[in-house]
Each structure stands twice: as C-alpha cells, then as structure tokens.
Amino acid sequence: MWTPKGFIDEAIEKVKDEIKDEKAVIALSGGVDSSVCSVLVGEAIGDNLTAIFVDHGLLRKGEAEQVVNTFKDRLNFIYVDASDEFLEALEGVVDPEEKRKIIGKKFIDVFEREASKIDAKYLIQGTIAPDWIESQGKIKSHHNLALPSGMVLEVVEPIRELYKDEVREIGAELGLPDSIIHRQPFPGPGLAVRVIGELTREKIQICQNADAIVREEVEKSGFNKQLWQYFAALTNTKVTGVKGDQRDFGYLVVVRMVASVDAMTAYVPEIPWELIRTISKRITSEVSEVTHVSLSISDKPPATIEFA
Ligand code: XMP
C-alpha cells in the first residue's frame, strides 16, 4: 500500500544512489512542489543540495519573508533579491507575453549565475505527473539541461510520478507548514500577470496590499476551501472616488475568486456578499491609492484566470 512515509524512504534512497557525493541545485519558489522536492532531497544529500530562491520583486506581500523563514534553517539555502534587476528589465513593457518572456529569461540568468558558483552536477526539478502527462510525455524522465552559458546539468525529478494531493501528503509528512502545503497556485511571473500595463514599484505594492486583504478575509471566512485561486489584480485604469469630503482619482482594483479542478476551466462560485463587502471596504480604506473595487464574474472560458 502506498504511504507517504514509504514513498519518502524510497525516494531518499534513490536520490542518494543517483547523486552520491556530487552537488545539486534546485530553484525553490515556495510552491508546494519545489518545497517538497527541496526538503526531500535535502534529507537525502544534506548540504550537497543548494536551494536557490530568486525573489523577482513580483511576489505577494510577506511571501519572501515566509519562504526565507521556512527554509533558512532547514536547507543549504540562498536568497537572491533580484528585484531591481527584474524591474529594470521590465521597464516600459506592457505586453503580457513580453513580460513573461523577459521574466523567464532573467530568471534563468540569475539562477545560472548563482548555480555556477556551486559546481553542481545535478538540477533537481519538482516536476509532477500532470506536468509531463499534459505535454504528452514530451518531457523525458532522463535528460540534461543546457543553460545559456554552456553549463549542463543532469535533471533529477524525485516526485515525477506523484499527483498534487500526494505531494501535499508528502509535504505534511516532511513537516512543512500548512501555509506551504495548501498554498494556492501562484504563477511563475508573479504579479506581472496581475498588474496591468507597465510595472512600477508603486503599482506592485498597491496590488500586494489589496491582495493581502483578499487573502486574509477569504481565509478567515473559510471560503478558500471552495476556491482554486483568490486574489486582487490592479487595472491600469484610474477612476473618481470621494475620500473624506474630497474628490479623489485612484486605481480600480479587481477581485477574482475562482473554483476549478485543474485550471483548464474555472467558474466563479456564488460568493458570500458579506465577504465581498468587507474586502471592498477594507481595500478602499486601507490602500489609499484605490478608489474603486470591482468583482470579476467571468468564468474560464472565455476569460482566463489571470488578467494578463
Ligand atoms: P490562465 O490565466 O491561463 O491560468 O487561465 C491558468 C493557471 O495557470 C497559471 N498561470 C501561470 N503559471 N506561469 C505560470 O507558472 C504563467 O505565465 C502563468 N499564467 C497563468 C494561473 O495562475 C492559473 O492557475
């Protein structure tokens, strides 16, 4: 019978056998897959694994601190604050696909720069079953990855056969906190796909502050258990509002809450009105740059889950 403990013991043995005394690196994002993978391989090869956490400056409020605090004493862990570099590369860019490309490329650059200091032979990846099944098996189980500088790493995927619910069970068995195990999916390019138009520090921060309120209220109400993702996006539109006895011209924030099983389709469930009102009131009173909050009610399709 499959048990988390049985899987962990076997995976640790396999990783030890494969990597022996060589060095390995992993890009740790704080998502459940890369977190479980990092801790699992850390248990197997100790400090021969270096977990690299690249902060692109597009994370949610408090997220970088949370990831650092969770892993700094548990892993050979490197935190790279590359936010200046990313924001500089994104200056003036408004097209969402271009943002994604720039972030993807920059991420590899930063990761490679750190990895090259380590003399690693292996790259650990948190690939899970749906990742390669959806690509019709195009991602081979044994392959090398050539990085732009010519550095070649052998890829090891210790949780390749698992599904998300199993990864969560393993994470719990490994003692990871609930905030990581049950974290809602968060896109690699981060808030770049939720802040419409050009990215500036100010706009990112407004989105972070509004989003923190959405997460806090949804989680407090328990409604998150019915949702796949719940967040705030910042439009590029300014609208008139009134604060105190003055007219104000501030941002329009959109709150999105969707239910889904696999993100291929998604729907907006009936949301408790009190929850929406509380979120709206808190955002307009606590995030001074926002005058208006609207609720997205479009399913996927035709809308996508993200805004960009
Ligand atoms: P969409 O917006 O396409 O999102 O309905 C479907 C799921 O994928 C996530 N998503 C991304 N994840 N890089 C990622 O790693 C991306 O560029 C990206 N775009 C969307 C999204 O959060 C949702 O769960």
Side-chain angles (χ1 to χ4, degrees), residues 183-221:
R183 200 173 88 146
Q184 54 169 323
F186 185 63
L191 298 181
V193 298
R194 294 183 185 166
V195 173
I196 317 297
E198 185 177 358
L199 296 163
T200 61
R201 277 197 189 274
E202 190 208 16
K203 283 168 75 183
I204 294 166
Q205 204 172 51
I206 297 169
C207 187
Q208 283 172 332
N209 289 337
D211 180 70
I213 293 171
V214 174
R215 285 191 289 143
E216 192 185 317
E217 291 299 331
V218 171
E219 285 160 19
K220 197 161 78 184
S221 74

Side-chain angles (χ1 to χ4, degrees), residues 100 185-189 193-194 228-229 262-264 300 303-308:
R100 282 187 170 83
F186 185 63
V193 298
R194 294 183 185 166
W228 168 267
Q229 278 172 296
D262 55 9
M264 301 295 281
K300 173 184 180 179
T304 52
I305 294 177
E306 302 294 348
F307 281 81

Side-chain angles (χ1 to χ4, degrees), residues 235-304:
T235 71
N236 211 18
T237 300
K238 285 202 165 179
V239 286
T240 304
V242 52
K243 291 208 170 162
D245 50 11
Q246 291 227 313
R247 285 170 87 79
D248 193 13
F249 198 52
Y251 279 103
L252 169 68
V253 157
V254 185
V255 174
R256 184 132 169 91
M257 298 184 201
V258 295
S260 176
V261 280
D262 55 9
M264 301 295 281
T265 61
Y267 71 96
V268 180
E270 200 169 303
I271 300 164
W273 191 240
E274 213 28 58
L275 175 60
I276 288 298
R277 284 179 61 80
T278 307
I279 288 172
S280 166
K281 280 187 183 155
R282 278 197 60 192
I283 292 176
T284 47
S285 66
E286 293 171 36
V287 190
S288 61
E289 301 88 345
V290 178
T291 45
H292 221 107
V293 175
S294 73
L295 175 69
S296 161
I297 53 167
S298 297
D299 294 342
K300 173 184 180 179
T304 52

Side-chain angles (χ1 to χ4, degrees), residues 11-78:
I12 288 177
E13 282 317 305
K14 268 198 219 157
V15 169
K16 275 186 182 164
D17 251 18
E18 187 161 5
I19 298 184
K20 301 197 170 69
D21 290 329
E22 300 288 345
K23 291 197 160 67
V25 284
I26 184 167
L28 172 60
S29 70
V32 63
D33 302 342
S34 69
S35 296
V36 164
C37 229
S38 298
V39 173
L40 194 61
V41 175
E43 300 268 316
I45 63 167
D47 281 354
N48 275 345
L49 173 72
T50 304
I52 301 171
F53 172 51
V54 176
D55 180 353
H56 50 25
L58 296 155
L59 298 170
R60 287 167 292 186
K61 189 173 183 173
E63 192 166 9
E65 294 79 357
Q66 191 206 21
V67 175
V68 171
N69 289 334
T70 306
F71 296 104
K72 69 177 188 330
D73 298 327
R74 195 158 180 183
L75 291 169
N76 180 9
F77 176 85
I78 297 181

Side-chain angles (χ1 to χ4, degrees), residues 99-278:
K99 284 182 189 171
R100 282 187 170 83
K101 270 190 214 142
I102 291 168
I103 292 168
K105 187 174 172 305
K106 195 83 203 146
F107 186 88
I108 293 172
D109 286 351
V110 175
F111 181 75
E112 182 173 24
R113 196 167 66 212
E114 294 301 321
S116 65
K117 297 176 192 163
I118 290 158
D119 191 28
K121 181 171 175 199
Y122 293 97
L123 173 71
I124 312 296
Q125 277 189 336
T127 316
I128 64 171
D131 299 335
W132 55 269
I133 291 168
E134 271 161 30
S135 69
Q136 277 131 22
K138 275 188 219 116
I139 312 174
K140 291 198 211 101
S141 61
H142 290 278
H143 61 281
N144 290 331
L145 186 79
L147 293 168
S149 71
M151 182 176 178
V152 178
L153 294 163
E154 244 176 84
V155 176
V156 176
E157 298 169 317
I159 57 171
R160 186 181 159 87
E161 305 302 328
L162 301 182
Y163 286 85
K164 204 72 166 191
D165 51 333
E166 295 168 328
V167 181
R168 293 205 169 99
E169 283 184 57
I170 306 280
E173 183 74 29
L174 289 167
L176 283 170
D178 248 23
S179 53
I180 299 248
I181 296 171
H182 295 290
R183 200 173 88 146
Q184 54 169 323
F186 185 63
L191 298 181
V193 298
R194 294 183 185 166
V195 173
I196 317 297
E198 185 177 358
L199 296 163
T200 61
R201 277 197 189 274
E202 190 208 16
K203 283 168 75 183
I204 294 166
Q205 204 172 51
I206 297 169
C207 187
Q208 283 172 332
N209 289 337
D211 180 70
I213 293 171
V214 174
R215 285 191 289 143
E216 192 185 317
E217 291 299 331
V218 171
E219 285 160 19
K220 197 161 78 184
S221 74
F223 193 57
N224 55 312
K225 296 194 180 75
Q226 295 178 48
L227 300 173
W228 168 267
Q229 278 172 296
Y230 44 101
F231 56 85
L234 183 68
T235 71
N236 211 18
T237 300
K238 285 202 165 179
V239 286
T240 304
V242 52
K243 291 208 170 162
D245 50 11
Q246 291 227 313
R247 285 170 87 79
D248 193 13
F249 198 52
Y251 279 103
L252 169 68
V253 157
V254 185
V255 174
R256 184 132 169 91
M257 298 184 201
V258 295
S260 176
V261 280
D262 55 9
M264 301 295 281
T265 61
Y267 71 96
V268 180
E270 200 169 303
I271 300 164
W273 191 240
E274 213 28 58
L275 175 60
I276 288 298
R277 284 179 61 80
T278 307

